[in-house]
Amino acid sequence: MPKVEFKLPETFESFGEARKSGFLKMKALKEKGAGVVGVFCVYTPLEVFLAAGLVPVSLCSTSDETIPEAEKTLPRNLCPLIKASYGFAVADKCPYMYFSDLVVGETTCDGKKKMYELLGQIKDVHVLNLPQTQSGQRSLPFLISELKALKDKVETAFGVTIAEADLTRAIKEKNAEKRLIKEFYELSQMDPPPMTGLQQLQVLFGSQFKFDLPEKLADLRQTIDDLKEARAKGERPVAKGAKRLVMTGCPTGGATEKVIKAIEESGAVIVAYENCTGARQYDREVREDGDPWEALAEYYLGVGCSVMTPNPNRLELLGRLCREFKADGVVEMVLQACHTYAIETQTIRSFLSDKGLPFLTLETDYSAGDVGQLKTRAAAFIETLG
Ligand code: BJ8
């Protein structure tokens, strides 16, 4: 992307630094007696922990730092996200894991399921069982009962009681956060967008490590306002005419920023993330009326992840993002050895081909070894967009 002079709003930096500065904030929270729950996946219902007055946190899983440690136990030919998650735990290098009183895993892909068994030998791990399909009559009641089993576990582990009113309050709080994050990333519907895809990702990723909700909401609001003001003053961080791409696939952030950099250094811009770090997590809200356990189960059952079969919700969201963000094409990132996303690529390819949207899929891991190849492939794809 051609270099354009642009002064970043200061709040952007606070999001970029959030994961690191969050370590100290978490330490301070623990010293005040806070209960901490470590999580890995977007299927984990954070509302349950918030309702119990606990602090949920995303555990370290996005760097290759501890993969050699993990490979002493796990097979090398395994998704880097799973190896990194386990490696950080056994090497005791993730402060968030260290501070977690309870870790909640989920039965998403096979690799994670089996890794949680090993993790259970060093931490208190509760596994949330998920149905494998969103369709049919049995999935919703199954998930409701699993959410209630999680409630029981939390109540026992932390000596608390979760009343329905607490859960409804937590649902409303999370919905307010989702609305604001959506308002933030939807700014990139502008042409040209008011931020690069890397800047957008850093806010999305960093927002997971701000634990004080009112402070997080205030920072998000400030970031939105600053971006609008900068735009009104004529700031243009993205060149007019840059090809607009939607990202899809496995979770992005940390080591996989290399994929975003390869694309944006080749002249295109990522306008939206369908991935878990983005719209897959923030596009919808949990219903605020009726039974909160049912509402929660409906919401989580609707997450469009490739571990579900079939997975129509991913197609619906991806198609909508492409329309709303006026995409010129779609790039998918698949982590090495992630079978569900790698196979679902075929469905995505034919879905986008029917819409006449160019599609590139990039398989990668957390190492820096393929940066040159990623750049070559991204540049060649962007050139075909005209
Ligand atoms: S809701 S995308 S965070 S499962 S670990 S499936 S990359 S082989 S992370 Fe995920 Fe939840 Fe779905 Fe989102 Fe593949 Fe690796 Fe498995 Fe992975």
Side-chain angles (χ1 to χ4, degrees):
M1 189 177 303
K3 288 257 179 290
V4 184
E5 202 52 41
F6 181 62
K7 191 172 160 296
L8 277 179
E10 276 173 23
T11 39
F12 259 93
E13 283 174 34
S14 85
F15 283 98
E17 289 297 307
R19 191 173 155 271
K20 272 193 206 146
S21 59
F23 295 159
L24 290 177
K25 288 188 181 155
M26 180 61 79
K27 183 168 172 277
L29 284 167
K30 285 294 285 187
E31 282 164 0
K32 283 188 203 154
V36 176
V37 183
V39 304
F40 290 105
C41 174
V42 162
Y43 277 109
T44 315
L46 304 185
E47 292 85 349
V48 175
F49 315 126
L50 296 172
L54 305 170
V55 184
V57 63
S58 291
L59 296 169
C60 310
S61 63
T62 58
S63 122
D64 68 350
E65 191 187 330
T66 60
I67 286 184
E69 189 63 32
E71 285 177 346
K72 289 180 186 165
T73 311
L74 300 175
R76 290 192 68 194
N77 183 25
L78 183 67
C79 162
L81 194 152
I82 303 172
K83 287 192 284 189
S85 305
Y86 183 70
F88 272 106
V90 282
D92 215 2
K93 279 195 171 170
C94 174
Y96 294 126
M97 177 66 86
Y98 174 79
F99 288 129
S100 294
D101 304 290
L102 175 68
V103 172
V104 176
E106 17 44 58
T107 55
T108 44
C109 65
D110 288 349
K112 277 207 280 186
K113 277 193 297 217
K114 299 306 286 183
M115 182 272 282
Y116 294 142
E117 288 178 15
L118 301 182
L119 197 57
Q121 294 169 11
I122 46 177
K123 291 295 282 190
D124 185 7
V125 176
H126 175 85
V127 176
L128 176 76
N129 286 296
L130 296 173
Q132 300 205 356
T133 181
Q134 296 153 334
S135 49
Q137 303 295 312
R138 285 168 294 175
S139 294
L140 187 65
F142 177 78
L143 189 52
I144 293 171
S145 70
E146 278 300 310
L147 292 179
K148 290 191 174 164
L150 175 64
K151 167 186 181 280
D152 293 344
K153 171 69 190 184
V154 168
E155 289 183 336
T156 312
F158 293 94
V160 293
T161 305
I162 303 173
E164 286 199 355
D166 296 326
L167 188 59
T168 302
R169 173 191 45 78
I171 287 172
K172 287 183 178 167
E173 283 175 8
K174 273 308 272 179
N175 280 349
E177 180 192 335
K178 284 187 175 120
R179 268 195 297 282
L180 214 47
I181 292 184
K182 191 172 177 182
E183 184 182 337
F184 160 73
Y185 69 68
E186 284 189 340
L187 291 175
S188 283
Q189 290 180 358
M190 293 178 194
D191 190 12
M195 60 191 141
T196 67
L198 189 60
Q199 289 162 353
Q200 184 190 142
L201 180 67
Q202 284 169 348
V203 171
L204 292 171
F205 188 73
S207 71
Q208 304 172 86
F209 302 99
K210 291 193 175 234
F211 307 115
D212 181 318
L213 185 68
E215 193 186 307
K216 185 195 309 199
L217 297 187
D219 285 353
L220 283 164
R221 171 53 58 206
Q222 190 65 49
T223 306
I224 293 168
D225 293 347
D226 288 350
L227 278 170
K228 286 182 178 167
E229 198 186 313
R231 175 90 174 180
K233 284 186 186 154
E235 301 266 16
R236 295 290 183 271
V238 178
K240 200 166 171 42
K243 293 297 171 193
R244 304 168 64 86
L245 302 176
V246 170
M247 278 294 293
T248 184
C250 295
T252 45
T256 55
E257 278 187 2
K258 66 181 175 178
V259 177
I260 316 305
K261 287 180 186 157
I263 292 164
E264 298 205 318
E265 283 167 10
S266 303
V269 59
I270 307 292
V271 285
Y273 292 87
E274 184 275 326
N275 319 57
C276 278
T277 330
R280 198 178 298 150
Q281 179 174 185
Y282 300 112
D283 176 67
R284 298 170 305 120
E285 292 178 24
V286 181
R287 179 165 59 75
E288 293 182 1
D289 56 353
D291 178 72
W293 294 103
E294 203 177 305
L296 217 52
E298 279 168 13
Y299 170 85
Y300 284 101
L301 198 56
V303 172
C305 171
S306 65
V307 297
M308 289 289 154
T309 179
N311 182 24
N313 293 0
R314 181 177 176 204
L315 300 181
E316 188 281 321
L317 177 59
L318 184 58
R320 188 153 45 83
L321 291 176
C322 287
R323 272 197 316 280
E324 291 174 352
F325 287 77
K326 299 187 185 62
D328 296 301
V330 173
V331 178
E332 179 185 59
M333 186 201 69
V334 176
L335 290 175
Q336 200 179 60
C338 175
H339 302 316
T340 55
Y341 277 97
I343 295 170
E344 201 166 274
T345 291
Q346 300 310 321
T347 312
I348 301 293
R349 188 186 303 285
S350 63
F351 173 76
L352 293 171
S353 149
D354 288 349
K355 297 186 177 313
L357 274 169
F359 175 58
L360 172 71
T361 184
L362 295 168
E363 191 191 55
T364 190
D365 60 13
Y366 286 175
S367 74
D370 62 353
V371 166
Q373 196 200 13
L374 288 170
K375 277 190 185 160
T376 308
R377 292 200 56 207
F381 174 69
I382 291 159
E383 220 175 290
T384 64
L385 302 177

